[in-house]
Amino acid sequence: PKPPTPPPTFLLLEIPFFHFCRSSSLFMSPADGSRVLPRHCTRHQGHNLEFISQSPNDMNVKIVKPNFLSRMFARFFSREMIYTSAIIFTVAIVLWGNESAGRERQRLVQLPSALSFISKDGGSTEQNKVEDDEDLMKSLEVPVSIDLARDLDRMYGRKVVIKGLDRCAAFREAVPPADRFVSAAGMFNTGTHVIFNYLDKYCEIPGKDHGKIKKQRDALNAKAKIQEIIDSGILFETYWGKHKHVTDRGKVVTLPKYEGFPVENLLPVVMIKDPFTWLSSMCRNPYNWIDGRKYMEDGTRCPNLTLPDGISPVSATIKYSMRETRLQRPDKEFESMLHMYNQWYQEWEEVAFPRLIVRYEDLLLHPEEVVDEVCSCAGGSWKEKFTLSSEKAKKNGDGLEGALARYGNATKRTEGYTDADLKFAEKTIDQTMFNTYHYLLP
């Protein structure tokens, strides 16, 4: 039977998925320029094929020169062009991806160093995070978990902050070694017991009668609340009282044992603490804070910085004459506890004589470095190798483990504060002093 008549022309496109015929498979008749193609061939290199005849196995076609548009269409959609385009596109995507990743790594690496304590786990790669965590753990002198270390890093940074080291040389030049004294000072609940215990145990000031000191220490009752040997040069408190305002310096001597000591021979080591954790400590142990004692008795919420209107401050009364044996200044009322904090430390910031201001957080995390800096400032040296102590510095203290758990937790830092309290604190805290000691607003 006669096969069906095919369409008069064929347009062949040679594409990767349908490559049926090649020139090498064609037989060209020199007589009429026609070609014999296998019957299954219906396309050939974008040429127009004029149908001539068809047998059971072959087709006899005549190649008609295609027009310009047909040739361009066939050229741009040839298999080779499609393969080449696909390869170029793939390479371009890979290169673009690598360049974008490189820009992101560079952006992260170039973050300002001042933000490093806020978020140290934002490195560009997992390797960066691991290396940063290793550096963080090495920077601490106490055993803590990596999560706790990251919280501490975000809140307080990695470097020890001690103000007043630039005045140490002047103190050593002005005061002979035998006449030098070092004492703790600071607000309630700021670590004055801790710094005294460390200095008393490890710091030895030259020029002292160490034989006499040893005899006095041996004779001292081991259960004595205060292990102070005045002749060692390491004093439990300043002559005018370690919790008292520096404006009392030279005007008040709280105890007879300090009578006659020149204030110029004393190097105060002033302890400062994050105001948020300090106020929480005052709620637990109010000492001379009269209002805080009442809060403990009647169960009033504490911290309690504002009145019910959320704006007006709650005043604070400090009683300076708790003991009849001590000569103290009159009681004083402050606009709020944070106003008291500002005034107390601002007075110490403004003095011109030698003094050191040490963060409690550094004493907790870097005790050996802090002791070394303070002892060296007074011209002292180490008595023995440093050993980390986990004992409580005072009866109602936390001890090392408890202090780390309490003060290393970013959530506990503002636990108990209302939104109104935090807004009031942000408005009230002395920002210049706050930033000097690397404390951050929540």
Side-chain angles (χ1 to χ4, degrees), residues 55-228:
S55 65
N57 297 318
D58 300 314
M59 291 186 304
N60 190 10
V61 296
K62 184 175 182 179
I63 299 177
V64 180
K65 184 177 180 180
N67 59 35
F68 175 78
L69 290 178
S70 297
R71 291 200 305 272
M72 291 300 99
F73 188 79
R75 181 180 299 276
F76 284 109
F77 287 94
S78 66
R79 179 179 62 180
E80 289 78 6
M81 286 297 294
I82 292 177
Y83 282 166
T84 303
S85 299
I87 293 173
I88 293 174
F89 180 76
T90 302
V91 171
I93 289 295
V94 172
L95 293 177
W96 179 82
N98 289 340
E99 183 181 358
S100 298
R103 286 197 301 267
E104 179 67 9
R105 283 193 296 271
Q106 185 178 19
R107 184 187 70 81
L108 291 167
V109 168
Q110 291 178 346
L111 281 173
S113 59
L115 298 179
S116 62
F117 54 84
I118 299 176
S119 179
K120 285 294 182 182
D121 50 350
S124 58
T125 65
E126 188 64 30
Q127 181 63 28
N128 286 345
K129 293 180 183 179
V130 172
E131 292 175 357
D132 190 64
D133 285 344
E134 290 176 351
D135 292 340
L136 172 59
M137 297 303 287
K138 289 177 182 178
S139 71
L140 300 174
E141 298 176 14
V142 292
V144 296
S145 68
I146 185 59
D147 291 333
L148 186 61
R150 288 169 180 162
D151 266 359
L152 289 164
D153 192 30
R154 280 188 285 268
M155 291 187 291
Y156 306 118
R158 301 183 189 185
K159 294 183 178 180
V160 170
V161 179
I162 300 179
K163 191 167 186 180
L165 292 173
D166 56 325
R167 304 181 187 181
C168 294
F171 176 75
R172 294 193 298 268
E173 292 174 3
V175 184
D179 298 332
R180 294 173 192 164
F181 290 90
V182 179
S183 72
M187 294 275 282
F188 311 105
N189 292 302
T190 56
T192 56
H193 276 74
V194 181
I195 190 64
F196 167 75
N197 288 344
Y198 275 136
L199 291 174
D200 183 60
K201 182 176 181 179
Y202 295 111
C203 184
E204 183 174 85
I205 297 178
K208 304 293 184 180
D209 188 340
H210 298 295
K212 180 181 178 181
I213 295 171
K214 186 178 185 307
K215 290 180 181 179
Q216 291 177 343
R217 197 173 295 282
D218 291 342
L220 188 65
N221 187 341
K223 295 183 180 180
K225 182 179 180 180
I226 301 174
Q227 299 288 316
E228 181 189 48

Side-chain angles (χ1 to χ4, degrees), residues 215-339:
K215 290 180 181 179
Q216 291 177 343
R217 197 173 295 282
D218 291 342
L220 188 65
N221 187 341
K223 295 183 180 180
K225 182 179 180 180
I226 301 174
Q227 299 288 316
E228 181 189 48
I229 305 296
I230 292 180
D231 288 335
S232 71
I234 307 297
L235 304 184
F236 181 71
E237 59 182 319
T238 59
Y239 310 144
W240 58 96
K242 64 178 181 177
H243 298 313
K244 307 309 179 288
H245 294 256
V246 68
T247 50
D248 285 345
R249 177 180 183 261
K251 302 175 184 178
V252 175
V253 177
T254 58
L255 293 173
K257 64 181 179 180
Y258 296 136
E259 287 285 356
F261 288 89
V263 293
E264 295 79 10
N265 293 3
L266 179 67
L267 176 68
V269 182
V270 185
M271 299 300 300
I272 188 171
K273 193 178 193 178
D274 180 342
F276 290 99
T277 59
W278 167 76
L279 188 51
S280 295
S281 296
M282 291 298 293
C283 291
R284 294 188 298 273
N285 303 298
Y287 286 92
N288 294 19
W289 179 27
I290 302 304
D291 311 278
R293 287 174 173 262
K294 292 179 181 178
Y295 295 158
M296 291 188 70
E297 293 173 0
D298 59 25
T300 300
R301 181 183 63 82
C302 187
N304 182 26
L305 292 174
T306 62
L307 294 174
D309 62 7
I311 300 174
S312 305
V314 175
S315 62
T317 302
I318 304 298
K319 189 175 183 62
Y320 290 104
S321 55
M322 296 291 284
R323 298 181 185 178
E324 295 180 358
T325 57
R326 288 174 174 261
L327 181 59
Q328 307 284 8
R329 61 155 57 205
D331 300 348
K332 185 171 182 178
E333 183 174 312
F334 296 87
E335 191 172 349
S336 74
M337 283 297 282
L338 290 182
H339 283 85

Side-chain angles (χ1 to χ4, degrees), residues 3 39 53 142 160 170 188 224 244 289 292 343 362 397 413 424-425 440:
R39 184 171 182 174
S53 64
V142 292
V160 170
F188 311 105
K244 307 309 179 288
W289 179 27
Q343 179 179 330
D362 286 330
R413 182 181 180 226
F424 177 81
L440 300 176

